[in-house]
């Protein structure tokens, strides 16, 4: 698995522009302006030129913001900048906003090797979409999927949100059924967390009560597998073989590059957060905050990420990476959790027991 | 200095009437304190005192004043607290003085503590100087206030200075009156030493420092002295005064107020109220101490971290040194482990001690709900005093139970009489009398169980009267009541630290209130937790804390791992201040929750 001397095999690129602001979003984003986006591309070109990126990347993920908020020319330029290192990518994902995708943009993406799309579906109800500040309808998602499939991108994931203010169980069922009927390969379902500095927080919105949220999560975790989507992570479901390879890099706690304002990366026992403000990025695209990760940090974080996977974490990889076994590293704390049956070992994997999977935070706290 | 040029006095007042502000002006106007050294409320040393704007500890400073008669006078000013809980401190400072300045806020007039403190001063034969404060305020009624003092207390106010302690207006008149009205100390410099210890504190380098008022004789460096009550003997190493910084002097003589250090390592040897004399020429008998106050309120204090039990012990020892009213003894709780049952003068006192322990000694404490002392008469005719509800014996062994009652005098304007009476009735009060003090103002007297007023009575009184009502109370003895112990069970296990003694007629209501409150306070855990209230083994109220159903982070990818990890760390940190009792994690506040009532707004 991870070889510390090896260059990262994954790359994340953050596009910090949006055509409009979603009320729940706290990622780095700015309203799209053509000129600002041009200058951003100049900065990105500079950043890439200074970074000796592994030409043999295995996975690439373009997120945002809204990558498709760029115009066609800009989208082409951005993809070209990545071309030298994406040739061998097994999985090359781009986030798609249904309202800003055109046939031409879909073709461009495919031309440059993008073979997976992640669409912000959010919810099936146009009423709730409007409440969230989204400017598309449920129907637009269907259209976007058709455009992508025509361009040859059939591996499509849909992002859904639940526990939205005013959302009912019936709304969620309708959204899930509609999403499934669109036949994506992958589904991510996130319960809404209202972060500071979001429009929701400023408007004083609150998520649903804990019980309804838990009911919704239970419904999701029991229904989607019946429809052929296996749960492989807390919030992620996939048709067999369509698990996100890029996101598995995070959960396996492997290294990855982070490009552009607001992106994070992890290389060589350091995590870095690129500068968040766009003007600052344009001025100096190499500005970042670096957090060096100690052995203890890395051990805990490996577990924190690994246990998010339904199959759990590989014990041999842990031992290989840290030269100490999981049980030795976490001593009594681990023993207690194993005796209580909150953690389980099966072969080479340690996992959070199914009965406690939805309480993972409580389990992790005990390991801190 | 010749005794006739010494004046020892204190300032007494109802809380917030301007006592400490006047002390500050006096300090300034006697040139003792340079303006640049001036912090507001100079005598309120403790961080806590400044923050809360109250005086908790008494403080003594020496000032020199050049009077109009051309002589230089030495003033010893002793600041006193104004809150009802600390009347004990007041009585200590009074014992060291010949006179008292009575400050009355002319926007509020005579209040309950104005009366209580004046009576204390009169009991100590002090000369009282009335001073009318806050005359610069728009709503000041100086003539009215003077008349009130004359009518209610019976002090002549024809001479009383009309001052503003805030601006310094007419404070010079107060200084002159100290010289002319307050008597000089009497006492024979050549008699055997008799010095009253009125306070003490611990200095890590010099041991216990004793604050004394020398009544007779002299106290000098090198003297071998004896504490007459404890018998401990020491050699005096330093003597001094405060101005308000410590200043060393060669010795203290009859009439003086000051401090001495003698490398006293044992806290137990110095008792406030004891008399110091010399070994070589001892006094034949000690001075009369002063009215010692007994704690009225008890609670259990436990370190959150059991390993810090000894640290807590040590901290209590040191705090008791300058707060003799604090009492404590070790106790054990099944739920909380090893700790102390502590006695306090009142709730504010309890609060202050807890906060000082946490701040000054860096301790994390769990505090059980305060309780009074119940007298439990057993079937065999014997009586036991119970200061911890968990120790109440089984009902089958009890003949009857008595609880302490107080006589509460509440001063209140006409418009709030109804609200105040309703409050007292809700607290099982028995109406006694109502007197009109003057047009529009009344004193209502109620007899109330002490247990009903120790918690939030004062706050409620203030809020139901928009701050206009004031309270004084005194213990009047024990009365038989139908009292029962109510136990709280979490997940089927009785938690001793949550037991409470209630009146049988209120048991059901209190039980439901407490269980509901606990349900709100105890975080959901991975299993369902039944919360029950039981009297004599019979469950009278119950609710359930539902199990935690979902506790995961929705999103966790590459970017925000550090932030997510911090979130987990924060959650875990929060639990550190909770106590694991059996299988249930209980937050600190839960132990106090047994006091909130369901019949009152939270």
């Amino acid at each position: 698995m991870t070889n510390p001397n090896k260059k990262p095999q994954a790359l994340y690129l953050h596009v910090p522009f949006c055509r409009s602001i979603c009320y729940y979003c706290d990622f780095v984003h700015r309203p799209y302006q053509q000129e600002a986006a041009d200058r951003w591309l100049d900065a990105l070109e500079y950043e890439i030129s200074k970074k000796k990126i592994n030409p043999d990347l295995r996975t690439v993920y373009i997120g945002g913001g809204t990558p498709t908020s760029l115009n066609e020319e800009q989208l082409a330029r951005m993809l070209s900048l990545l071309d030298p290192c994406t040739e061998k990518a097994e999985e090359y994902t781009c986030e798609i906003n249904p309202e800003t995708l055109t046939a031409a943009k879909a073709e461009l993406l495919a031309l440059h090797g993008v073979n997976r799309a992640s669409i912000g579906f959010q919810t099936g109800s146009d009423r709730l979409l409007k409440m969230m500040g989204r400017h598309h309808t449920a129907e637009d998602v269907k259209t976007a999927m058709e455009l992508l499939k025509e361009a040859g991108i059939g591996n499509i994931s849909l992002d859904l949100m639940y526990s939205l203010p005013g959302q009912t169980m019936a709304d969620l069922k309708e959204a899930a059924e509609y999403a499934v009927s669109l036949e994506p390969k992958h589904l991510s379902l996130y319960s809404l967390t209202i972060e500071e500095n979001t429009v929701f927080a400023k408007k004083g919105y609150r998520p649903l009560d804990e019980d309804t949220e838990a009911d919704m999560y239970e419904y999701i975790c029991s229904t989607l597998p019946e429809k052929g989507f296996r749960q492989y992570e807390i919030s992620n479901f996939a048709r067999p073989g369509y698990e996100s390879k890029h996101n598995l890099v995070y959960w396996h706690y492997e290294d990855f590059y982070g490009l552009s304002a607001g992106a994070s990366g992890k290389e060589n026992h350091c995590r870095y957060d690129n500068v968040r403000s766009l003007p600052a990025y344009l001025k100096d695209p190499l500005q970042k905050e670096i957090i060096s990760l100690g052995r203890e940090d890395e051990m805990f974080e490996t577990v924190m990420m690994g246990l998010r996977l339904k199959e759990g974490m590989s014990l041999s990889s842990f031992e290989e990476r840290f030269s100490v076994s999981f049980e030795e590293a976490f001593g009594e704390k681990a023993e207690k959790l194993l005796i209580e049956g909150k953690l389980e070992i099966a072969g080479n994997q340690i996992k959070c027991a199914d009965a406690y999977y939805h309480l993972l935070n409580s389990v992790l706290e005990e390991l801190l | 200095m010749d005794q006739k040029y010494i004046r020892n006095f204190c300032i007494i007042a109802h809380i917030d009437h301007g006592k400490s502000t006047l002390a500050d002006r006096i300090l300034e106007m006697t040139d003792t304190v340079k303006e640049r050294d001036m912090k507001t409320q100079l005598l309120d040393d403790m961080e806590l005192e400044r923050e809360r704007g109250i005086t908790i500890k008494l403080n003594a400073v020496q000032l020199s004043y050049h009077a109009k008669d051309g002589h230089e006078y030495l003033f010893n000013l002793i600041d006193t607290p104004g809150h009802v809980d600390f009347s004990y401190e007041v009585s200590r400072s009074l014992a060291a003085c010949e006179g008292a300045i009575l400050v009355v806020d002319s926007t509020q007039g005579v209040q309950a503590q104005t009366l209580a403190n004046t009576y204390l001063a009169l009991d100590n034969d002090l000369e009282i100087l009335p001073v009318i404060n806050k005359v610069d305020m728009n709503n000041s009624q100086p003539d009215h206030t003077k008349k009130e003092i004359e009518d209610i207390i019976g002090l002549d106010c024809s001479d009383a200075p009309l001052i503003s302690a805030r601006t310094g207006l007419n404070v010079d008149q107060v200084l002159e009156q100290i010289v002319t009205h307050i008597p000089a100390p009497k006492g024979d410099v050549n008699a055997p030493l008799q010095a009253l210890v009125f306070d003490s504190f611990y200095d890590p380098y010099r041991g216990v420092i004793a604050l004394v008022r020398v009544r007779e004789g002299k106290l000098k460096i090198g003297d071998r002295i004896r504490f007459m009550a404890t018998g401990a003997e020491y050699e005096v190493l330093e003597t001094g005064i405060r101005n308000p910084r410590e200043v060393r002097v060669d010795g203290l003589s009859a009439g003086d107020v000051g401090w001495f250090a003698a490398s006293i390592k044992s806290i137990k040897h110095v008792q406030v109220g004891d008399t110091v004399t010399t070994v070589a020429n001892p006094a034949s008998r000690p001075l009369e101490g002063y009215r010692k106050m007994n704690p009225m309120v008890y609670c259990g204090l436990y370190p959150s971290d059991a390993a810090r039990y000894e640290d807590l012990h040590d901290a209590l020892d040191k705090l008791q040194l300058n707060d003799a009213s604090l009492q404590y003894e070790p106790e054990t709780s099944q739920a909380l482990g090893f700790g102390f049952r502590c006695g306090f003068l009142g709730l504010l006192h309890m609060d202050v001690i807890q906060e000082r322990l946490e701040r000054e000694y860096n301790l994390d404490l769990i505090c059980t709900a305060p309780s009074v002392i119940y007298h439990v008469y057993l079937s065999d005719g014997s009586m036991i005093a119970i200061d911890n509800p968990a120790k109440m014996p089984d009902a089958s062994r009890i003949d009857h139970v008595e609880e302490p009652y107080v006589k509460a005098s509440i001063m209140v304007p006409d418009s709030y009489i109804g609200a105040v009476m309703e409050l007292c009735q809700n607290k099982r009060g028995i109406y006694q009398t109502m007197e009109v003090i003057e047009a529009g103002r009344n004193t209502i007297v109620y007899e109330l169980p002490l247990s009903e007023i120790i918690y939030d009575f004062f706050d409620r009184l203030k809020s139901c009267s928009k701050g206009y009502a004031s309270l004084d109370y005194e213990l009047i003895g024990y009365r038989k009541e139908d009292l029962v112990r109510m136990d709280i069970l979490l997940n089927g296990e009785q938690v001793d630290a949550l037991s409470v003694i209630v009146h049988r007629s209120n048991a059901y209501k209190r039980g439901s209130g407490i269980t509901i409150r606990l349900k709100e306070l105890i975080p959901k855990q991975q299993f369902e937790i039944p919360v029950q209230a039981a009297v004599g083994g019979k469950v009278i109220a119950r609710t359930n804390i539902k199990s935690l159903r979902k506790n995961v982070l929705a999103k966790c990818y590459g970017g925000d791992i550090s932030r997510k990890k911090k979130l987990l760390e924060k959650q875990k940190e929060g639990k550190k201040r909770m106590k694991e009792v059996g299988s249930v994690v209980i937050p600190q506040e839960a132990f106090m929750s047994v006091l909130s009532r369901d019949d009152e707004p939270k």
Side-chain angles (χ1 to χ4, degrees):
Chain A
M1 254 178 73
T2 307
N3 176 347
N5 301 319
K6 213 163 146 188
K7 287 187 154 190
Q9 299 188 354
L11 179 143
Y12 173 78
L13 166 63
H14 190 83
V15 181
F17 298 102
C18 287
R19 295 280 172 158
S20 62
I21 304 306
C22 305
Y23 294 170
Y24 51 85
C25 179
D26 76 332
F27 285 107
V28 172
H29 55 227
R30 306 202 108 212
Y32 170 80
Q33 282 173 307
Q34 190 176 327
E35 198 222 1
D38 282 335
R39 290 177 56 207
W40 170 73
L41 283 162
D42 294 342
L44 182 65
E45 183 168 357
Y46 178 79
E47 189 189 1
I48 291 174
S49 74
K50 290 290 168 191
K51 242 179 139 97
K52 293 188 177 58
I53 295 171
N54 181 359
D56 301 326
L57 290 174
R58 214 168 59 82
T59 68
V60 178
Y61 195 105
I62 303 173
T66 313
T68 48
S69 67
L70 299 175
N71 66 28
E72 283 156 32
E73 198 187 324
Q74 292 166 329
L75 190 65
R77 185 175 168 205
M78 177 183 79
L79 293 165
S80 306
L81 290 174
L82 292 178
D83 278 346
C85 53
T86 55
E87 211 165 296
K88 293 188 181 163
E90 293 165 32
E91 186 187 281
Y92 189 172
T93 308
C94 184
E95 282 182 354
I96 303 291
N97 174 299
E99 69 182 298
T100 48
L101 185 73
T102 60
K105 286 182 192 177
E107 275 158 27
L108 256 177
L109 290 168
L111 185 71
H112 286 270
V114 171
N115 58 16
R116 185 173 180 271
S118 171
I119 303 181
F121 173 92
Q122 312 313 359
T123 178
S125 145
D126 292 342
R127 162 181 66 88
L128 291 170
L129 284 170
K130 203 168 168 201
M131 182 273 303
M132 296 162 81
R134 300 281 295 188
H135 294 264
H136 60 87
T137 61
E139 195 59 27
D140 291 340
V141 175
K142 198 172 175 178
T143 315
M145 283 181 79
E146 279 160 10
L147 290 178
L148 288 163
K149 281 179 186 166
E150 274 165 32
I153 304 173
N155 183 358
I156 296 171
S157 172
L158 298 180
D159 271 9
L160 273 75
M161 291 183 90
Y162 65 94
S163 192
L164 298 164
Q167 190 181 32
T168 64
M169 196 65 180
D171 288 331
L172 173 69
K173 284 183 183 170
E174 190 195 321
E177 276 162 22
Y178 183 57
V180 168
S181 76
L182 295 174
E183 299 184 340
K185 302 292 189 204
H186 185 281
L187 287 165
S188 300
L189 288 104
Y190 303 116
S191 78
L192 173 70
T193 37
I194 294 182
E195 305 284 353
E196 274 180 83
N197 304 321
T198 59
V199 178
F200 269 158
K202 282 172 194 147
K203 286 190 165 188
Y205 275 107
R206 319 206 75 207
L208 298 182
D209 65 281
E210 287 170 37
D211 259 335
T212 313
E213 189 198 320
D215 287 343
M216 289 183 167
Y217 188 57
E218 247 168 47
Y219 166 79
I220 291 163
C221 295
S222 63
T223 306
L224 292 181
E226 287 169 14
K227 311 275 185 192
F229 293 90
R230 197 183 68 93
Q231 180 175 18
Y232 70 103
E233 196 258 0
I234 297 283
S235 306
N236 286 280
F237 301 79
R239 294 259 182 222
Y242 285 95
E243 294 82 7
S244 164
K245 293 188 174 81
H246 181 80
N247 287 338
L248 281 167
V249 167
Y250 301 136
W251 297 318
H252 288 149
Y253 204 62
E254 288 166 31
D255 283 358
F256 58 96
Y257 297 106
L259 284 184
S260 163
S264 298
K266 182 165 93 71
E267 292 175 51
N268 241 328
H269 308 288
C270 284
R271 180 166 28 253
Y272 53 86
D273 296 318
N274 292 347
V275 64
R276 283 179 69 92
S277 125
L278 184 66
Y281 177 73
L282 296 181
K283 223 169 161 189
D284 177 6
L286 301 177
Q287 274 186 79
K288 55 186 60 112
E289 222 177 90
I290 299 174
I291 307 165
S292 90
L293 299 164
R295 191 160 171 273
E296 299 277 308
D297 295 327
E298 290 197 329
M299 284 200 285
F300 180 78
E301 289 174 11
T302 301
V303 175
M304 175 174 125
M305 299 307 278
L307 293 182
R308 291 186 67 84
L309 294 174
K310 194 99 178 169
E311 62 171 23
M313 183 189 79
S314 155
L315 289 166
S316 61
S317 309
F318 184 93
E319 193 162 346
E320 199 180 305
R321 182 180 295 185
F322 298 110
S323 312
V324 58
S325 74
F326 170 79
E327 288 99 322
E328 281 172 285
F330 289 92
E332 281 175 17
K333 292 174 183 172
E335 200 181 325
K336 183 167 175 265
L337 289 168
L338 284 163
I339 290 171
E340 289 171 343
K342 293 177 184 171
L343 290 180
E344 287 170 355
I345 292 179
N348 185 36
Q349 294 290 118
I350 182 157
K351 58 173 281 198
C352 184
D354 288 347
Y356 292 93
Y357 194 44
H358 53 286
L359 297 171
L360 182 61
N361 277 2
S362 309
V363 174
L364 290 173
E365 262 173 53
E366 292 187 49
L367 282 175
L368 260 177
Chain B
M1 177 172 284
D2 191 329
Q3 268 184 22
K4 70 179 177 194
Y5 299 118
I6 297 178
R7 296 292 182 272
N8 297 319
F9 63 95
C10 58
I11 308 179
I12 54 177
H14 186 75
I15 190 162
D16 286 340
H17 276 202
K19 205 171 8 73
S20 297
T21 313
L22 176 60
D24 283 353
R25 283 302 87 70
I26 291 176
L27 259 59
E28 259 175 14
M29 294 172 71
T30 48
D31 290 334
T32 318
V33 182
K34 303 218 167 51
E35 199 131 357
R36 66 183 161 81
D37 292 337
M38 217 39 211
K39 304 178 253 185
T40 38
Q41 311 235 317
L42 206 67
L43 291 187
D44 289 350
D45 247 351
M46 248 187 271
E47 192 188 350
L48 204 59
E49 291 183 318
R50 277 176 211 283
E51 256 170 42
R52 295 198 176 192
I54 54 169
T55 308
I56 297 161
K57 288 296 304 166
L58 55 92
N59 240 311
V61 290
Q62 191 171 88
L63 326 161
S64 57
Y65 173 63
H66 196 77
K68 288 192 180 141
D69 64 9
H71 292 287
E72 193 80 12
Y73 285 82
L74 198 75
F75 286 179
N76 285 304
L77 160 62
I78 296 163
D79 195 17
T80 62
H83 191 277
V84 55
D85 275 9
F86 299 105
S87 46
Y88 161 77
E89 299 272 347
V90 178
S91 71
R92 282 160 65 180
S93 22
L94 296 176
C97 301
E98 276 79 35
I101 299 174
L102 172 67
V103 181
V104 183
D105 178 344
S106 59
T107 67
Q108 288 193 8
V110 171
Q111 295 292 319
Q113 286 297 303
T114 313
L115 278 179
N117 286 332
T118 306
Y119 291 144
L120 272 177
L122 290 171
D123 282 350
N124 280 269
D125 290 329
L126 300 197
E127 184 64 34
I128 297 174
L129 281 185
V131 165
I132 315 299
N133 193 20
K134 303 195 189 177
V135 297
D136 57 327
M137 305 276 281
N138 284 336
N139 53 343
S140 164
Q141 293 184 289
D143 292 335
H144 185 82
T145 303
K146 277 185 171 184
K147 191 166 175 302
E148 265 188 13
I149 299 173
E150 290 180 342
D151 291 352
I152 302 170
I153 310 179
L155 286 173
D156 176 16
C157 282
S158 51
D159 268 0
L162 304 181
I163 69 159
S164 164
R166 198 172 56 83
T167 64
L169 174 75
N170 293 337
V171 174
D172 54 334
Q173 292 176 20
V174 179
L175 294 171
E176 274 304 305
Q177 287 198 4
I178 292 168
V179 170
T180 52
H181 288 43
I182 293 178
K186 296 184 227 40
D188 183 355
V189 180
N190 299 313
L193 173 68
Q194 278 183 312
L196 178 74
V197 181
F198 65 89
D199 200 2
S200 61
F201 58 92
Y202 188 82
D203 180 307
Y205 302 104
R206 301 180 297 167
V208 181
I209 311 286
L211 268 65
V212 291
R213 160 69 199 270
V214 182
R215 288 280 179 194
E216 305 280 344
K218 282 183 204 144
L219 177 69
K220 300 186 303 295
I221 294 170
D223 281 351
R224 191 148 183 87
I225 52 103
R226 178 188 300 142
F227 290 92
M228 295 182 79
T230 65
E233 293 183 6
Y234 289 96
E235 188 185 314
V236 176
L237 299 176
E238 287 172 38
T239 57
I241 54 123
R242 292 183 60 173
N243 77 346
R245 289 208 192 77
E246 273 190 0
V247 177
R248 292 190 197 186
V249 297
D250 294 337
L252 300 168
S253 340
D256 282 340
V257 173
W259 54 266
F260 74 89
S263 200
I264 304 168
K265 294 291 176 237
S266 173
I267 286 161
K268 304 257 179 312
H269 289 168
V270 186
Q271 282 175 9
V272 169
D274 198 355
T275 301
V276 177
T277 189
T278 55
V279 174
N281 182 18
S284 53
R285 58 166 171 265
L287 294 163
E288 199 184 324
Y290 44 82
R291 198 173 106 192
K292 186 160 165 63
M293 301 288 280
N294 289 315
M296 298 231 240
V297 180
Y298 287 78
C299 81
L301 287 182
Y302 293 82
S304 303
D305 174 3
R308 301 207 60 198
Y309 171 80
E310 277 307 323
D311 295 339
L312 174 58
H313 195 173
D314 201 46
L316 284 167
D317 274 351
K318 285 181 180 150
L319 273 188
Q320 193 191 37
L321 245 193
N322 67 358
D323 189 348
S325 53
L326 167 67
Q327 288 186 5
Y328 54 92
E329 57 181 55
E331 77 169 5
T332 318
S333 152
Q334 283 165 356
L336 301 176
F338 293 104
F340 295 88
R341 174 85 0 196
C342 304
F344 307 95
L345 299 170
L347 257 287
L348 179 66
H349 186 213
M350 181 173 110
D351 245 29
V352 163
I353 294 288
Q354 271 173 39
E355 236 179 294
R356 290 189 65 187
L357 286 168
E358 297 207 328
R359 281 192 198 191
E360 295 169 30
Y361 298 89
N362 198 23
L363 290 159
D364 249 350
L365 297 176
I366 290 180
C367 163
T368 67
S371 165
V372 299
I373 296 191
Y374 293 93
H375 287 172
V376 179
Y377 291 84
L378 302 177
S379 322
D380 65 9
S382 64
M383 187 277 275
I384 46 173
I386 298 287
D387 60 12
N388 177 354
K391 291 200 182 131
M392 179 108 146
D394 192 72
S396 62
R397 290 177 55 211
I398 297 175
D399 182 69
H400 70 278
V401 183
E402 291 183 358
E403 68 175 325
Y405 263 73
V406 297
K407 183 178 128 193
S409 308
I410 300 163
M411 280 195 183
V412 60
D414 281 347
S415 31
Y416 303 107
I417 290 176
V420 168
M421 288 180 74
E422 195 187 325
L423 173 67
C424 292
Q425 299 289 359
N426 279 339
K427 301 280 189 181
R428 295 194 281 135
I430 305 159
Y431 172 78
Q432 297 298 307
T433 59
M434 180 161 75
E435 276 172 40
V436 179
I437 310 168
E438 43 151 357
R441 289 228 297 159
N442 317 273
T443 300
I444 311 178
V445 179
Y446 263 89
E447 289 180 358
L448 285 152
L450 177 62
S451 66
E452 296 284 343
I453 69 164
I454 53 169
Y455 185 49
D456 55 356
F457 186 80
F458 194 70
D459 292 342
R460 285 187 188 284
L461 183 67
K462 285 285 171 198
S463 66
C464 80
S465 67
K466 299 216 162 63
Y468 282 109
S470 64
L471 164 76
D472 186 49
Y473 61 80
E474 57 179 324
L475 215 53
I476 51 172
Y478 275 75
R479 290 194 189 158
K480 183 175 165 181
E481 289 287 355
D482 191 5
L483 299 165
V484 290
R485 186 181 86 200
M486 186 158 73
D487 296 319
I488 302 296
L489 291 84
L490 292 178
N491 207 19
E493 273 181 67
Q494 186 184 324
V495 180
D496 59 358
L498 288 173
S499 290
V500 58
I501 291 172
V502 296
H503 197 269
R504 193 186 298 274
S505 63
N506 290 340
Y508 177 74
K509 222 172 172 183
R510 289 285 301 278
S512 348
I514 292 169
T515 49
I516 289 168
R517 188 95 181 98
L518 286 172
K519 181 185 175 174
E520 288 163 3
L521 286 170
I522 296 176
K524 286 183 176 176
Q525 285 161 46
Q526 289 160 23
F527 45 88
E528 188 170 80
I529 307 163
V531 184
Q532 298 161 300
V535 171
K538 214 180 109 199
V539 173
I540 56 164
R542 123 163 229 162
T543 180
N544 285 329
I545 299 169
K546 286 202 253 170
S547 62
L548 179 65
R549 290 182 56 197
K550 185 165 179 272
N551 183 22
V552 287
L553 297 170
K555 280 189 184 188
C556 198
Y557 294 100
D560 39 11
I561 298 179
S562 301
R563 198 163 60 95
K564 304 272 149 108
K565 188 176 156 206
K566 272 196 192 114
L567 214 72
L568 288 173
E569 278 164 353
K570 215 170 127 193
Q571 282 187 18
K572 189 174 173 106
E573 193 59 32
K575 292 211 174 119
K576 265 195 184 163
R577 283 180 74 90
M578 300 192 190
K579 201 86 187 173
E580 211 171 330
V581 177
S583 49
V584 183
V585 178
I586 309 176
Q588 254 179 332
E589 314 89 78
F591 295 97
M592 292 292 278
S593 71
V594 294
L595 289 168
S596 31
R597 323 271 156 104
D598 58 340
D599 54 342
E600 292 162 3
K602 275 166 201 132

